[in-house]
Amino acid sequence: MDTVDVALARRSYPVWIGPGLLADSARWRARIRGRHVLVVSNTTVAPLYLGALERGLAGLTWSSFLLDDGETHKTFANVGRVLDALGALGATRDACVIALGGGVVGDLAGFAAACWMRGIDFIQVPTTLLAMVDSSVGGKTGVNLPVGKNLAGAFHQPRAVVADTELLRTLPQREYLAGIAEVVKGAAIGDLPFFAWLEANAAALARRDADVLVEAIARKCRYKAGVVARDETEQGERALLNLGHTFGHALETAGNYSEILHGEGVAIGMVLAARLSERLGMASAEDTHRLVALLQRLGLPVEPSKAHAASRLLDLMRLDKKNTAGTLRLILWRGIGQAEIVSGVPDADVLAVLE
């Protein structure tokens, strides 16, 4: 097991990474302060792992709320249903929400916890690789709107993250590979040695080698934890963690959150950001080629669908949360490990890359 600490003074918390952690209930139960617990999961994950979690809740007053599976269910309506479930449970200010699932479950459950009595505890138990390396760490919670992804939400840090790598055994390969895209993103933003390590270990990572997997998750979480500790509410440096996201979120929204997975959107978005950086004279073609080659070795897509007009995608990109006063702000790079925020990129250049 590896432990990554997210250092946020009184709101600091551990990210535990390794096999068998769900069964190690003494470890995570110590982070529950009250007697009321609501487990939020979905109809795919609950039949697999809710029983194991239940054994660690003996003696507590608890219930569960299950979402249907998929990004389309990350809605305000379902936040309301979780809040109703907390009310039915009689949850008090020291209650705890446990998010057992992927990013959709974690984001929505965390948002509901942030809303109930203006904020109660929650614990992340991610069951996808993408959630383990990204969405479960850092306290971003929220829901999607028809006009864009994650446009409503709150910063609300968990009490702990329990990243049990044994839970990934049931994860479909496509979703597993989509999670690796977020690992690559961390290296591409600010860790050239980690990027080189991924190039050397791509095959082992793709086949889920246990030791390589734990190291990859820990290195990505350690990098993100450092950024979050320095910029919790994304006033500066934390925005760099969105490399590829402005493009990727537009692609997800254009496809009604059902055509591509989030990690696939990030993979394509990183390539588009690299190509735009190259077009603007910020970075070399060699860095773009290295990124594309690594993503392809990992079985990830690198080209956007031709089904969506470039002008439509650009309109969706304008709704990105990083934008200010109508100005498009993108995360680009000056090469691998050197991401930066760039404002005022001409529409013509963005459209050229999208086309």
Side-chain angles (χ1 to χ4, degrees), residues 234 239-240 242-243 245-246 319-324 327-331 341:
E234 201 170 300
L240 297 177
N242 292 296
L243 177 68
H245 281 59
T246 305
L319 285 171
D320 188 88
K321 297 183 295 298
K322 295 182 295 301
N323 298 337
T324 57
T327 299
L328 195 64
R329 297 171 74 229
L330 297 171
I331 310 304
I341 303 169

Side-chain angles (χ1 to χ4, degrees), residues 57-136:
L57 298 175
L60 298 175
T61 301
W62 73 277
S63 64
S64 61
F65 177 86
L66 303 187
L67 299 163
D68 289 330
D69 198 0
E71 189 78 31
T72 56
H73 301 289
K74 198 167 83 171
T75 63
F76 264 120
N78 278 325
V79 171
R81 294 183 181 103
V82 173
L83 296 177
D84 288 341
L86 284 165
L89 181 65
T92 50
R93 288 293 300 272
D94 59 355
C96 182
V97 173
I98 297 180
L100 176 67
V104 170
V105 169
D107 284 3
L108 189 144
F111 188 30
C115 295
W116 184 254
M117 295 189 178
R118 298 188 177 90
I120 61 171
D121 291 346
F122 85 111
I123 292 173
Q124 292 270 20
V125 185
T127 60
T128 68
L129 180 57
L130 191 146
M132 288 183 186
V133 300
D134 189 60
S135 61
S136 67

